[in-house]
């Protein structure tokens, strides 16, 4: 790669703190470990498996929502922000999980879902029972419909999950009435963040969990809380990504400037619990905002600490695309003194071991199912290992998603009948949705449900091919994906890569190479093997070198 860009060096973070270099492991509670054998993962299951995460060598865990919820969107529909869903356990189970994690040196981040509540939340029940214009309705976004009988939605917005973003209610007197906004499922009414009562409530929720000892919050749909005041029509197709070319108008539901006041207030609350490098409590934005400069506004010094780097996740597997996104990401966050973050998989996207097995340039699929073009599993895993080794060498903080340390692929042949993601239903099956990355993960090859729980039960079926990915087939096996992750995390820590300085090296067009923390990193995206300099001592490799000691296609090496 010709790396003659202005940005030759970047640190990935100016203000040091544990979070600036942390590797944070996402746990999706439904699918991590099931202690009671009902087929749905739970908090005691997670606690019992914490040693795995300590052995792996991550710094923190982030738990997707475990709060009381009808599970219309797998827990991102919260009915009570201060409790635990009985499916997952009790509040004492949460306390125990936090304590046991800390005892192993693992910090704990919980999910906060402020854009919308569940329709089962007491506030929404009150709003339905109350009159138009009442205080109870003003906690949400209720409007009269358009057209003579108010029978048309108030505007043309579409839900991220498909279909209209408005649903009409039946008024207490039995007549068809107002409409309420839901950018996601109809069971997820959007809150009205212009209402001071809503703001006060969430400050209190922050305190509730901070008092229980959590180290921070991952903030769901952080770019959606404030809507353009006139709720203007938006003709474009709806996407969670604000998708902004700099010269295009901004969608009226995403990335409005007003959201930043909310995060400034929250930052003050968090800082009152600790703000030093060691005891800082952090806010992480899930904000699908582009370009990187716009995203960087969420991590200005008095706002959040981190934002997920989805532009990185979405970048194509080519040397120029990876070079461009890494450079842009570092520049944008350096400009505001925040750490860059890196992420390849989560509970909303096709796992990278499968995504990278699709032809380069394939648009990001929203799930893969029977009859869809299937990824090349071997190629996907090979590239996923190379991509992870590249990512873990970058300065900044990195997010891992449960199961990726096993090289786990997406379940790409789930029968449609078992799908639970509302996206599938709301798009009439046009989008398969996100169930394929949420399948319970395999721990023991020969146990029922591959050791996910004590029984065969699993809320989504696990494919028969998953025995080979089970942790017990990989632990202690040289070259396994698990040992690759574990080794890379150890070296990353030893060499201080997360707080290091990236310096690009000149390389051919299909190769990326840089130094960081005394190591040189090289990824070969091209068809031909690439020789290493004489005397290079390889300390980690995503694939074996060829007989001539060269780096093969789709492989990353770290060497001294
Ligand atoms: C976020 C979550 C996703 C959820 C949505 C609505 O994007 O990551 O899983 O469906 O918000 O809460």
């Amino acid at each position: 790669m010709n790396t003659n860009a202005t940005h030759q060096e970047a640190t990935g973070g100016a203000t040091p703190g544990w979070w600036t270099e942390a590797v944070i492991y996402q746990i999706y509670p439904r699918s991590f470990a099931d202690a009671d054998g009902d087929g749905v993962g739970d908090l005691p299951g997670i606690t019992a498996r914490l040693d795995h995460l300590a052995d792996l060598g991550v710094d923190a865990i982030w738990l997707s929502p475990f709060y009381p919820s009808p599970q219309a969107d797998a827990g991102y529909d919260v009915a009570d922000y201060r409790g635990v869903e009985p499916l997952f356990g009790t509040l004492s189970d949460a306390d125990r999980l936090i304590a046991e994690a800390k005892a192993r040196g693992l910090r704990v981040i919980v999910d906060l879902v402020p854009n919308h509540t569940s329709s089962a939340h007491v506030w929404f029940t009150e709003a339905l029972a109350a009159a138009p214009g009442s205080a109870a309705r003003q906690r949400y976004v209720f409007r009269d419909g358009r057209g003579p009988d108010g029978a048309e939605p108030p505007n043309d917005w579409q839900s991220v999950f498909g279909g209209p973003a408005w649903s009409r209610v039946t008024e207490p007197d039995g007549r068809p009435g107002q409409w309420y906004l839901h950018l996601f499922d109809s069971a997820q009414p959007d809150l009205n963040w212009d209402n001071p009562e809503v703001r006060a409530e969430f400050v209190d929720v922050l305190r509730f969990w901070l008092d229980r000892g959590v180290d921070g919050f991952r903030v769901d749909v952080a770019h959606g809380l404030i809507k353009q005041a006139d709720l203007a029509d938006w003709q474009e197709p709806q996407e969670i990504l604000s998708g902004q070319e700099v010269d295009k108008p901004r969608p009226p539901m995403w990335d409005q400037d007003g959201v930043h006041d909310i995060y400034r207030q929250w930052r003050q609350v968090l800082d009152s619990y600790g703000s030093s490098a060691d005891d800082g409590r952090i806010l992480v934005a899930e904000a699908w905002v582009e370009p990187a400069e716009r995203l960087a506004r969420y991590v200005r010094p008095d706002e959040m600490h981190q934002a997920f780097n989805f532009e990185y996740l979405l970048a194509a597997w080519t040397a120029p695309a990876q070079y461009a996104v890494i450079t842009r990401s570092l520049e944008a966050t350096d400009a505001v003194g925040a750490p860059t973050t890196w992420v390849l998989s989560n509970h909303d996207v096709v796992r990278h071991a499968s995504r990278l097995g699709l032809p380069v340039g394939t648009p990001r699929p929203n799930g893969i199912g029977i009859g869809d073009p299937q990824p090349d599993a071997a190629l996907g895993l090979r590239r996923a290992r190379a991509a992870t080794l590249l990512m873990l060498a970058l300065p900044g903080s990195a997010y891992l998603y449960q199961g990726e340390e096993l090289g786990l692929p997406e379940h790409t042949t789930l029968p449609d009948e078992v799908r639970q993601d509302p996206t599938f239903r709301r798009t009439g099956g046009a989008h398969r949705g996100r169930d394929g990355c949420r399948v319970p993960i395999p721990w023991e090859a020969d146990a029922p449900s591959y050791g996910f729980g004590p029984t065969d039960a699993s809320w989504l079926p696990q494919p028969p091919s998953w025995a080979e990915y089970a942790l017990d087939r990989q632990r202690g096996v040289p070259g396994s994906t698990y040992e690759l992750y574990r080794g890379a995390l150890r070296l990353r820590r030893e060499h201080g890569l997360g707080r290091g300085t990236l310096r690009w090296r000149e390389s051919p067009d299909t190769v990326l190479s840089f130094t960081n923390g005394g190591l040189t990193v090289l990824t070969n995206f091209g068809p031909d093997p690439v020789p290493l300099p004489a005397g290079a001592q390889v300390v980690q490799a995503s694939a074996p070198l060829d007989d001539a000691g060269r780096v093969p296609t789709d492989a990353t090496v770290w060497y001294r």
Side-chain angles (χ1 to χ4, degrees), residues 73 76 113 116 161 184 188 218 220-221 240 286 288 347-348 434 438:
D73 184 24
Y76 282 93
V113 188
H116 43 266
F161 294 158
F184 296 88
Q188 295 167 297
R218 174 263 188 194
D220 192 64
V221 197
I240 190 167
E286 188 225 13
W288 293 82
H347 66 293
D348 290 329
R434 303 161 294 174
R438 300 175 173 181

Side-chain angles (χ1 to χ4, degrees), residues 17 89 101 113 173 194 200 236 243 279-280 442 456 499 506 517 531:
V113 188
D173 65 7
D194 294 321
E236 309 282 324
D279 74 352
D456 268 325
R499 58 172 176 278
E506 283 300 317

Side-chain angles (χ1 to χ4, degrees), residues 33 49 151 168 249 254 373 435 461 474 497 537:
R49 292 287 189 184
R168 194 171 194 188
W254 301 134
D435 295 299
Q474 301 199 41
L497 302 184
Q537 191 194 340

Side-chain angles (χ1 to χ4, degrees), residues 183-239:
L183 290 180
F184 296 88
D185 191 63
S186 54
Q188 295 167 297
D190 279 51
L191 285 164
N192 170 18
W193 275 89
D194 294 321
N195 183 339
E197 192 187 357
V198 171
R199 296 198 184 212
E201 167 69 0
F202 275 85
V203 165
D204 199 65
V205 169
L206 291 176
R207 291 190 185 281
F208 178 86
W209 290 102
L210 288 164
D211 287 339
R212 300 197 104 80
V214 305
D215 297 285
F217 302 88
R218 174 263 188 194
V219 180
D220 192 64
V221 197
H223 61 319
L225 277 50
I226 299 287
K227 281 81 183 174
Q228 194 172 296
D230 61 359
L231 300 180
D233 280 339
W234 174 251
Q235 279 83 18
E236 309 282 324
Q238 177 58 288
E239 274 203 87

Side-chain angles (χ1 to χ4, degrees), residues 349-366:
V349 301
V350 170
R351 284 179 174 276
H352 68 288
S354 297
R355 209 172 60 230
L356 295 173
L358 296 169
V360 172
T362 305
R364 174 171 74 102
N366 190 349

